[in-house]
Amino acid sequence: MATESVWVFGGASGMGYATAERLHKRGDRVTLLDVAPTTETIAKKLGAVGVVCDITSEAALTDCLEKLAKKQKPRAIINCVGIAPAARIVGKTGPCTLEIFNQVIQVNLCGAFNILRLGAYHMSQSEPDAEGRRGVIIQTASIAAFDGQIGQAAYSASKGGLVAMTLPAARELARFGIRVMTIAPGLMDTPLLRGLPEEVQKSLEAGTPFPKRFGHPSEFAALVEHIMDNPFLNGEVIRLDGALRMN
Ligand SMILES: NC(=O)c1ccc[n+]([C@@H]2O[C@H](COP(=O)([O-])OP(=O)(O)OC[C@H]3O[C@@H](n4cnc5c(N)ncnc54)[C@H](O)[C@@H]3O)[C@@H](O)[C@H]2O)c1
């Protein structure tokens, strides 16, 4: 697809930032959207546009995307937002609070649907290309959707929801010429994992068959670019994990 307007949610950090950087370099008009107050500064350094917004707010996201779409409709929407607090169902101090579960589902799943519904609407209002294509929406799940570990019940449930949503969304939005894809990363080298103790990081890296290391955010960005440019990829979840199966 030709270089056009791209919205990258969660663009202020990790894989979202790497994606924004790669797409900006190739000439796409990138907007970074993130709840981080530093979003505008980070975007400016890149030469892109930054907008502070919380994807869990129906009103705020509606307003924010309306303003953006008025300037230019999106051709690609990439959602890299995610939170991953670990919480056992029954921990040392008793049952997991419902609040933690709700929070993870709100951000990772409801927030992703908020992006999907509004993003797809604005995309559907754009002019299709000669082959009827209007664009692609890419969500980020996790391999925890398939092989989640102890303490990941909420996270896995939220990412499993994204996996399950991919096909029905692709089927429904096909009539607008909008594709829907999901990437399920394994262990990636972002602030999210680098916050762990060093020995935990080492043992995690050793668990990936090959390459025996964390994935680079640039490898995620490269896959996003490929999905954007390959019009026959639709309604599918792609694992990006060096053959890691967590147990
Ligand atoms: N890092 C990994 O190993 C890994 C593995 C599998 C899946 N993932 C998933 O990949 C995605 C990106 O992960 P990352 O490691 O780059 O994370 P990250 O923490 O570096 O970036 C996530 C971004 O989301 C933003 N964000 C959080 N809540 C938000 C909200 N309500 N509204 C708007 N923005 C919000 C944060 O400010 C942050 O900039 C996430 O969905 C994560 O669950 C990560």
Side-chain angles (χ1 to χ4, degrees):
M1 184 161 299
T3 56
E4 276 162 298
S5 171
V6 182
W7 298 347
V8 182
F9 291 86
S13 174
M15 289 185 268
Y17 180 79
T19 300
E21 192 178 31
R22 186 179 183 104
L23 298 177
H24 175 76
K25 265 191 196 146
R26 78 166 195 175
D28 285 329
R29 259 168 256 135
V30 179
T31 303
L32 276 70
L33 300 105
D34 200 295
V35 78
T38 47
T39 302
E40 286 173 54
T41 319
I42 290 167
K44 226 180 239 167
K45 267 190 211 151
L46 209 60
V49 174
V51 180
V52 177
C53 77
D54 182 346
I55 64 161
T56 64
S57 164
E58 183 169 0
L61 197 67
T62 301
D63 185 50
C64 164
L65 297 190
E66 240 161 49
K67 282 184 192 140
L68 280 180
K70 247 184 213 156
K71 287 187 204 144
Q72 194 179 15
K73 307 269 188 282
R75 277 295 193 208
I77 297 174
I78 298 107
N79 175 23
C80 297
V81 172
I83 56 168
R88 287 181 183 236
I89 302 162
V90 181
K92 281 185 188 137
T93 54
C96 169
T97 63
L98 203 49
E99 194 188 340
I100 291 184
F101 191 86
N102 277 334
Q103 191 199 3
V104 176
I105 298 293
Q106 269 305 312
V107 175
N108 293 0
L109 185 56
C110 301
F113 184 74
N114 206 12
I115 291 170
L116 178 68
R117 72 184 187 94
L118 295 167
Y121 169 73
H122 289 299
M123 225 177 237
S124 76
Q125 303 299 300
S126 66
E127 280 302 312
D129 71 6
E131 291 183 48
R133 300 183 300 215
R134 286 192 169 87
V136 61
I137 299 173
I138 304 171
Q139 301 277 16
T140 308
S142 163
I143 60 168
F146 310 103
D147 27 270
Q149 294 186 300
I150 290 169
Q152 286 194 308
Y155 185 70
S156 294
S158 70
K159 297 301 189 178
L162 288 178
V163 167
M165 202 192 283
T166 306
L167 184 59
R171 284 177 165 158
E172 183 182 331
L173 299 176
R175 71 189 179 102
F176 299 117
I178 297 172
R179 295 182 293 125
V180 181
M181 287 290 293
T182 297
I183 300 174
L187 301 171
M188 307 297 286
D189 191 351
T190 71
L192 202 135
L193 274 194
R194 287 299 177 198
L196 296 172
E198 212 168 305
E199 62 281 8
V200 178
Q201 289 185 36
K202 279 199 179 122
S203 88
L204 286 173
E205 281 184 306
T208 299
F210 188 81
K212 247 183 206 327
R213 57 166 172 79
F214 292 155
H216 300 311
S218 60
E219 291 162 340
F220 176 91
L223 181 56
V224 167
E225 186 177 351
H226 179 77
I227 292 171
M228 284 169 63
D229 292 345
N230 188 332
F232 211 55
L233 277 173
N234 194 11
E236 185 54 292
V237 179
I238 302 178
R239 290 181 73 126
L240 181 72
D241 62 7
L244 173 64
R245 300 294 178 272
M246 295 193 293
N247 52 36

